Amino acid sequence: MNISDSNKDGKDSKSDKSTSWVKWFNSRVISNFLVVVDNEYIEDSFNLYGLKNEIPNFNHLLSIITGDAPDDEHAKNSLEKDAICLYSLIHARFITTPKGLSLMKDKYIKGDFGHCSRVSCAQHNVLPIGLFDQVKIAKVHVYCPLCQEIYKIHDDKIYLDGAFFGTSFPHIFLQTYPYYSTLKTPSYCTSKIFGFSVYHNYTRTEYKIAKGEFGKISKDNFLKKNPKYLKKLKKEELQIKDA
Protein backbone atom coordinates (compact mmCIF):
# COMPACT_ATOMS: atom_id res chain seq x y z
CA MET A 1 0.00 0.00 0.00
CA ASN A 2 1.50 3.37 -1.00
CA ILE A 3 1.45 6.58 1.06
CA SER A 4 -1.49 8.09 -0.79
CA ASP A 5 -3.58 4.99 -0.07
CA SER A 6 -2.53 5.14 3.56
CA ASN A 7 -3.55 8.80 3.80
CA LYS A 8 -6.82 8.06 2.09
CA ASP A 9 -7.58 5.21 4.51
CA GLY A 10 -6.70 7.47 7.40
CA LYS A 11 -9.11 10.12 6.19
CA ASP A 12 -11.86 7.57 5.64
CA SER A 13 -11.46 6.10 9.10
CA LYS A 14 -11.47 9.56 10.60
CA SER A 15 -14.57 10.43 8.61
CA ASP A 16 -16.31 7.25 9.78
CA LYS A 17 -15.34 7.93 13.35
CA SER A 18 -16.70 11.47 13.18
CA THR A 19 -20.16 10.23 12.21
CA SER A 20 -22.50 11.22 15.01
CA TRP A 21 -24.41 8.67 17.03
CA VAL A 22 -27.71 10.22 15.94
CA LYS A 23 -26.93 9.91 12.23
CA TRP A 24 -25.60 6.40 12.79
CA PHE A 25 -28.82 5.37 14.51
CA ASN A 26 -31.06 6.91 11.87
CA SER A 27 -29.12 5.14 9.13
CA ARG A 28 -29.90 1.81 10.81
CA VAL A 29 -33.66 2.39 11.03
CA ILE A 30 -35.43 0.78 8.07
CA SER A 31 -38.53 3.00 8.07
CA ASN A 32 -38.70 6.69 7.14
CA PHE A 33 -40.62 7.62 10.27
CA LEU A 34 -37.79 9.35 12.13
CA VAL A 35 -36.10 12.71 11.65
CA VAL A 36 -32.57 13.59 12.73
CA VAL A 37 -32.62 15.50 16.01
CA ASP A 38 -30.18 18.41 16.06
CA ASN A 39 -27.25 18.11 18.45
CA GLU A 40 -27.95 21.67 19.58
CA TYR A 41 -31.40 20.57 20.70
CA ILE A 42 -30.05 17.54 22.56
CA GLU A 43 -27.32 19.53 24.29
CA ASP A 44 -29.78 22.12 25.62
CA SER A 45 -30.68 20.88 29.11
CA PHE A 46 -33.96 22.82 29.04
CA ASN A 47 -35.26 20.52 26.29
CA LEU A 48 -34.48 17.44 28.38
CA TYR A 49 -36.14 18.61 31.58
CA GLY A 50 -37.62 15.71 33.55
CA LEU A 51 -35.94 12.93 31.58
CA LYS A 52 -33.20 12.51 34.17
CA ASN A 53 -35.77 11.16 36.61
CA GLU A 54 -37.21 8.75 34.05
CA ILE A 55 -34.05 7.23 32.60
CA PRO A 56 -31.33 5.55 34.74
CA ASN A 57 -27.71 6.47 33.87
CA PHE A 58 -29.06 9.56 32.15
CA ASN A 59 -25.77 11.49 31.95
CA HIS A 60 -23.81 8.56 30.58
CA LEU A 61 -26.47 7.74 28.00
CA LEU A 62 -26.63 11.38 26.95
CA SER A 63 -22.88 11.38 26.37
CA ILE A 64 -23.34 8.34 24.11
CA ILE A 65 -26.06 10.07 22.08
CA THR A 66 -24.04 13.27 21.65
CA GLY A 67 -20.89 11.33 20.81
CA ASP A 68 -19.63 9.41 17.82
CA ALA A 69 -21.11 6.32 16.24
CA PRO A 70 -20.19 3.10 18.06
CA ASP A 71 -18.22 0.31 16.45
CA ASP A 72 -19.85 -3.03 15.69
CA GLU A 73 -18.80 -4.56 19.01
CA HIS A 74 -20.40 -1.85 21.13
CA ALA A 75 -23.50 -1.37 18.97
CA LYS A 76 -25.24 -4.36 20.53
CA ASN A 77 -24.49 -3.77 24.19
CA SER A 78 -27.15 -2.86 26.73
CA LEU A 79 -25.98 0.74 27.11
CA GLU A 80 -26.57 1.39 23.41
CA LYS A 81 -30.09 -0.02 23.77
CA ASP A 82 -30.70 2.23 26.76
CA ALA A 83 -29.37 5.17 24.75
CA ILE A 84 -31.98 4.41 22.08
CA CYS A 85 -34.68 4.55 24.76
CA LEU A 86 -33.49 7.98 25.84
CA TYR A 87 -33.22 9.14 22.24
CA SER A 88 -36.80 8.03 21.56
CA LEU A 89 -38.07 10.38 24.28
CA ILE A 90 -35.91 13.22 22.97
CA HIS A 91 -37.18 12.58 19.44
CA ALA A 92 -40.80 12.76 20.67
CA ARG A 93 -40.11 16.21 22.10
CA PHE A 94 -38.14 17.46 19.11
CA ILE A 95 -40.90 16.68 16.58
CA THR A 96 -43.24 19.04 18.43
CA THR A 97 -40.87 21.99 17.93
CA PRO A 98 -41.30 24.28 14.89
CA LYS A 99 -38.34 22.69 13.10
CA GLY A 100 -39.36 19.16 14.01
CA LEU A 101 -42.94 19.74 12.88
CA SER A 102 -41.71 21.14 9.58
CA LEU A 103 -39.56 18.06 8.97
CA MET A 104 -42.45 15.77 9.84
CA LYS A 105 -44.74 17.77 7.56
CA ASP A 106 -42.46 17.04 4.61
CA LYS A 107 -42.63 13.34 5.44
CA TYR A 108 -46.42 13.46 5.80
CA ILE A 109 -46.84 15.13 2.41
CA LYS A 110 -44.64 12.47 0.77
CA GLY A 111 -46.61 9.71 2.46
CA ASP A 112 -43.60 8.36 4.35
CA PHE A 113 -45.83 7.29 7.23
CA GLY A 114 -48.10 5.26 4.99
CA HIS A 115 -51.81 5.41 4.25
CA CYS A 116 -54.99 4.64 6.13
CA SER A 117 -55.94 0.97 5.95
CA ARG A 118 -59.64 1.86 6.01
CA VAL A 119 -60.99 1.35 2.50
CA SER A 120 -63.37 4.32 2.65
CA CYS A 121 -60.50 6.70 3.46
CA ALA A 122 -59.08 6.06 -0.01
CA GLN A 123 -55.39 5.91 0.89
CA HIS A 124 -55.44 9.05 3.02
CA ASN A 125 -52.02 9.87 4.49
CA VAL A 126 -51.52 9.01 8.15
CA LEU A 127 -49.37 10.26 11.03
CA PRO A 128 -47.35 8.19 13.53
CA ILE A 129 -48.62 7.99 17.09
CA GLY A 130 -47.65 6.22 20.29
CA LEU A 131 -50.24 4.59 22.50
CA PHE A 132 -48.10 5.53 25.51
CA ASP A 133 -45.51 8.18 26.27
CA GLN A 134 -43.28 5.68 28.05
CA VAL A 135 -40.77 3.38 26.36
CA LYS A 136 -40.97 -0.40 25.93
CA ILE A 137 -44.76 -0.65 26.19
CA ALA A 138 -46.12 -0.60 22.64
CA LYS A 139 -44.83 -0.16 19.11
CA VAL A 140 -45.73 2.80 16.94
CA HIS A 141 -49.22 2.98 15.43
CA VAL A 142 -50.66 5.40 12.86
CA TYR A 143 -53.45 7.96 13.13
CA CYS A 144 -55.69 8.94 10.22
CA PRO A 145 -56.75 12.62 10.20
CA LEU A 146 -59.77 11.75 8.04
CA CYS A 147 -61.53 9.03 10.03
CA GLN A 148 -59.72 10.01 13.25
CA GLU A 149 -58.92 6.42 14.12
CA ILE A 150 -55.70 4.68 15.20
CA TYR A 151 -54.45 1.63 13.32
CA LYS A 152 -51.76 -0.99 13.74
CA ILE A 153 -48.90 -1.09 11.27
CA HIS A 154 -48.87 -4.46 9.54
CA ASP A 155 -45.43 -4.08 7.99
CA ASP A 156 -43.07 -6.25 10.06
CA LYS A 157 -40.10 -4.17 8.91
CA ILE A 158 -41.42 -1.16 10.80
CA TYR A 159 -40.77 -1.86 14.45
CA LEU A 160 -40.31 1.36 16.34
CA ASP A 161 -41.24 2.10 19.91
CA GLY A 162 -44.31 4.32 20.12
CA ALA A 163 -42.38 6.54 22.53
CA PHE A 164 -40.51 8.00 19.53
CA PHE A 165 -43.70 9.95 18.80
CA GLY A 166 -45.79 9.91 21.96
CA THR A 167 -49.53 10.29 22.30
CA SER A 168 -49.74 13.99 21.42
CA PHE A 169 -47.80 14.37 18.18
CA PRO A 170 -50.61 13.98 15.57
CA HIS A 171 -52.85 16.39 17.45
CA ILE A 172 -50.11 19.02 17.82
CA PHE A 173 -49.30 18.55 14.13
CA LEU A 174 -52.92 19.11 13.07
CA GLN A 175 -53.26 22.11 15.38
CA THR A 176 -50.13 23.61 13.82
CA TYR A 177 -51.16 22.77 10.26
CA PRO A 178 -54.98 22.88 10.40
CA TYR A 179 -55.28 22.64 6.62
CA TYR A 180 -54.19 19.00 6.89
CA SER A 181 -57.04 18.39 9.30
CA THR A 182 -59.53 17.62 6.57
CA LEU A 183 -62.97 19.20 6.64
CA LYS A 184 -64.39 16.32 4.62
CA THR A 185 -66.79 13.94 6.29
CA PRO A 186 -65.42 10.41 5.95
CA SER A 187 -67.52 8.10 3.85
CA TYR A 188 -69.09 5.15 5.60
CA CYS A 189 -70.61 1.82 4.73
CA THR A 190 -74.36 1.73 5.33
CA SER A 191 -75.58 -1.62 6.63
CA LYS A 192 -77.78 -3.26 4.00
CA ILE A 193 -79.35 -6.66 3.44
CA PHE A 194 -80.28 -7.49 -0.15
CA GLY A 195 -80.10 -3.79 -0.98
CA PHE A 196 -82.31 -2.62 1.90
CA SER A 197 -80.87 -0.50 4.70
CA VAL A 198 -80.92 -2.16 8.10
CA TYR A 199 -83.14 -0.15 10.43
CA HIS A 200 -81.25 1.60 13.25
CA ASN A 201 -78.07 -0.36 12.57
CA TYR A 202 -75.58 2.50 12.38
CA THR A 203 -71.83 2.27 11.93
CA ARG A 204 -69.26 3.71 14.32
CA THR A 205 -68.39 6.41 11.78
CA GLU A 206 -72.04 7.46 11.52
CA TYR A 207 -72.20 7.60 15.30
CA LYS A 208 -69.14 9.85 15.44
CA ILE A 209 -70.62 12.13 12.78
CA ALA A 210 -73.90 12.36 14.70
CA LYS A 211 -72.02 13.19 17.90
CA GLY A 212 -70.32 16.09 16.13
CA GLU A 213 -66.79 14.70 16.12
CA PHE A 214 -66.34 15.75 12.49
CA GLY A 215 -67.77 19.23 12.97
CA LYS A 216 -71.16 20.87 13.34
CA ILE A 217 -71.87 21.12 9.61
CA SER A 218 -71.32 17.39 9.09
CA LYS A 219 -73.44 16.65 12.15
CA ASP A 220 -76.34 18.87 11.04
CA ASN A 221 -76.31 17.47 7.50
CA PHE A 222 -76.25 13.90 8.77
CA LEU A 223 -79.09 14.39 11.25
CA LYS A 224 -81.12 16.17 8.61
CA LYS A 225 -80.84 13.11 6.37
CA ASN A 226 -81.25 10.69 9.29
CA PRO A 227 -83.79 12.24 11.70
CA LYS A 228 -84.33 8.89 13.43
CA TYR A 229 -80.75 9.02 14.65
CA LEU A 230 -81.52 12.19 16.59
CA LYS A 231 -84.07 10.25 18.65
CA LYS A 232 -81.45 7.60 19.31
CA LEU A 233 -78.98 10.19 20.59
CA LYS A 234 -81.58 11.78 22.87
CA LYS A 235 -82.47 8.35 24.22
CA GLU A 236 -78.79 7.69 24.98
CA GLU A 237 -78.46 11.03 26.76
CA LEU A 238 -81.47 10.20 28.95
CA GLN A 239 -79.98 6.81 29.80
CA ILE A 240 -76.70 8.45 30.81
CA LYS A 241 -78.54 10.94 33.05
CA ASP A 242 -80.57 8.17 34.68
CA ALA A 243 -77.40 6.18 35.35
Side-chain angles (χ1 to χ4, degrees):
M1 181 174 65
N2 59 34
I3 295 175
S4 61
D5 289 336
S6 176
N7 290 338
K8 185 178 179 182
D9 290 343
K11 287 180 181 178
D12 288 344
S13 62
K14 188 176 180 180
S15 175
D16 290 340
K17 195 173 181 181
S18 64
T19 301
S20 70
W21 185 95
V22 173
K23 289 183 178 178
W24 165 82
F25 173 71
N26 276 268
S27 68
R28 291 167 61 89
V29 177
I30 296 174
S31 70
N32 292 322
F33 278 40
L34 302 182
V35 298
V36 176
V37 181
D38 295 337
N39 259 359
E40 293 80 5
Y41 181 87
I42 299 173
E43 290 169 355
D44 188 339
S45 59
F46 177 79
N47 299 325
L48 312 183
Y49 180 78
L51 293 181
K52 195 170 186 178
N53 298 327
E54 291 184 41
I55 304 293
N57 299 321
F58 173 82
N59 290 328
H60 184 51
L61 297 177
L62 186 61
S63 67
I64 292 175
I65 292 173
T66 54
D68 294 333
D71 53 35
D72 293 337
E73 291 182 12
H74 293 90
K76 296 180 181 179
N77 67 32
S78 59
L79 278 176
E80 290 296 338
K81 292 177 181 177
D82 291 340
I84 292 171
C85 289
L86 174 58
Y87 181 70
S88 69
L89 298 176
I90 296 172
H91 182 274
R93 294 186 177 194
F94 176 72
I95 59 175
T96 61
T97 65
K99 183 174 182 179
L101 285 165
S102 178
L103 292 171
M104 294 296 276
K105 181 186 74 171
D106 293 339
K107 287 181 170 292
Y108 175 73
I109 293 170
K110 291 188 291 184
D112 283 354
F113 307 127
H115 310 284
C116 185
S117 56
R118 183 174 177 268
V119 174
S120 298
C121 284
Q123 296 285 297
H124 198 280
N125 285 359
V126 293
L127 291 161
I129 187 172
L131 300 184
F132 301 89
D133 292 315
Q134 296 79 27
V135 297
K136 297 181 180 179
I137 300 180
K139 64 180 288 189
V140 64
H141 287 58
V142 288
Y143 172 84
C144 176
L146 180 56
C147 65
Q148 299 178 9
E149 294 289 353
I150 295 173
Y151 297 92
K152 287 183 178 180
I153 299 173
H154 297 291
D155 188 345
D156 293 334
K157 293 180 181 178
I158 300 173
Y159 193 87
L160 284 171
D161 197 307
F164 274 100
F165 308 95
T167 57
S168 302
F169 167 69
H171 315 299
I172 295 173
F173 181 91
L174 295 171
Q175 287 286 325
T176 307
Y177 305 112
Y179 37 88
Y180 291 122
S181 183
T182 178
L183 296 176
K184 292 192 301 181
T185 303
S187 58
Y188 49 86
C189 177
T190 303
S191 301
K192 292 183 179 181
I193 297 177
F194 301 124
F196 296 96
S197 297
V198 178
Y199 181 69
H200 275 189
N201 191 3
Y202 293 99
T203 66
R204 179 184 292 182
T205 305
E206 289 174 298
Y207 180 76
K208 290 173 73 174
I209 295 170
K211 293 286 284 185
E213 292 188 28
F214 295 103
K216 188 176 184 301
I217 295 174
S218 297
K219 176 184 176 180
D220 292 344
N221 289 338
F222 177 80
L223 293 177
K224 190 175 181 180
K225 293 178 182 177
N226 302 274
K228 292 177 182 178
Y229 207 100
L230 185 59
K231 294 179 181 178
K232 184 179 179 181
L233 287 177
K234 288 181 178 179
K235 187 177 179 181
E236 279 188 5
E237 289 174 2
L238 289 173
Q239 288 175 345
I240 292 170
K241 286 180 181 178
D242 292 339

